[in-house]
Amino acid sequence: MMTTLTAADGHRLDCWIEAAEGTRKGGLVILQEIFGVTDQLKGVAKRYAGLGYEVAIPALFDRKERGAVIPFSEGPRGRDMMLASDLEETVMDIAAAVDRLKAGGGKVAAMGFCWGGGLAIRAAQKLDVAGAVAFYGTRLPQYLDCPLKAPVLGHFGTTDDHVPPEMLDEAKAYLPELEVHMYEAGHAFANDARPSYVAEAADLAHKRTEEFLARVLA
């Protein structure tokens, strides 16, 4: 269901909530790509809710255009909205989602894809999360300014032109605790609604993520 959160500066934003199935094991904030709160992401939320996590997907574009969901075919439009977003404001919006899940009890982790993958790393640096998962996180250089406060699991494709090897190497050097796994795939390999989807890589990445979350949210 869609609900409304209030960030620390008073900004109100939409947030998709997927209730945990069975015994609640903690919370998981899912951070969007450059396309908004898509049906594909809601499907990911349902997958992890099925494992017992209450899931929140904050609408990080709401400060620019409330309710914006960008078609996958309009990448440049989504990229422009991402570039227009202020990092500190975006982190405040993520914090509101973390707080929403913390209210339900237990620990909270963050998981993001593309833009959201980089933001998941930021969450592990700045917010009270137990861990974070970055699926092909982008814009990595802007996060190389402070250490991690929580463990981070990273999934990256060997042919991802959004995250060239030298960029990833720089991030690994600055954040040595970063656990990185590489996959024979390109960018967005885990998005099953896009042609870039690589099922074998996605399945393995999700399996590793499930094991990681079970550990950090225990």
Side-chain angles (χ1 to χ4, degrees):
M1 67 172 185
M2 195 68 82
T3 188
T4 303
L5 305 178
T6 302
D9 64 349
H11 168 67
R12 290 170 63 81
L13 65 147
D14 287 343
C15 183
W16 181 262
I17 299 291
E18 193 75 40
E21 295 180 19
T23 302
R24 187 183 184 280
K25 299 177 181 177
L28 179 64
V29 178
I30 293 182
L31 303 171
Q32 65 176 67
E33 301 167 295
I34 58 170
F35 303 104
V37 183
T38 61
D39 286 343
Q40 191 274 334
L41 269 190
K42 292 175 183 177
V44 176
K46 192 166 186 63
R47 173 187 185 136
Y48 283 87
L51 299 174
Y53 303 116
E54 183 182 11
V55 183
I57 314 175
L60 302 180
F61 280 164
D62 269 10
R63 289 181 184 265
K64 302 304 173 186
E65 181 184 333
R66 183 165 293 278
V69 177
I70 314 298
F72 292 133
S73 60
E74 297 180 19
R77 179 183 164 207
R79 183 174 183 274
D80 287 347
M81 292 185 71
M82 171 195 70
L83 292 174
S85 298
D86 178 84
L87 180 57
E88 290 190 10
E89 290 178 343
T90 301
V91 171
M92 278 195 281
D93 296 345
I94 298 168
V98 171
D99 289 344
R100 166 64 172 76
L101 293 178
K102 277 188 174 296
K107 300 177 182 178
V108 176
M111 176 172 72
F113 301 82
C114 181
W115 179 41
L119 292 171
I121 293 173
R122 195 53 159 190
Q125 294 170 317
K126 297 290 188 178
L127 303 180
D128 184 18
V129 295
V133 182
F135 277 80
Y136 32 85
T138 58
R139 311 196 76 198
L140 298 181
Q142 71 174 334
Y143 307 119
L144 306 184
D145 60 353
C146 60
L148 296 173
K149 298 196 299 181
V152 176
L153 173 65
H155 305 297
F156 293 89
T158 56
T159 58
D160 187 342
D161 56 2
H162 292 70
V163 189
E166 57 272 20
M167 181 187 292
L168 186 54
D169 287 344
E170 183 184 11
K172 288 160 64 179
Y174 187 87
L175 303 170
E177 311 92 336
L178 191 63
E179 179 186 343
V180 173
H181 294 277
M182 302 301 298
Y183 303 82
E184 292 296 326
H187 192 65
F189 67 80
N191 187 326
D192 56 0
R194 299 179 66 186
S196 54
Y197 180 61
V198 180
E200 185 177 2
D203 289 347
L204 180 55
H206 281 296
K207 178 177 180 294
R208 286 170 169 157
T209 297
E210 290 172 15
E211 294 169 350
F212 176 83
L213 292 176
R215 186 169 70 250
V216 301
L217 294 177

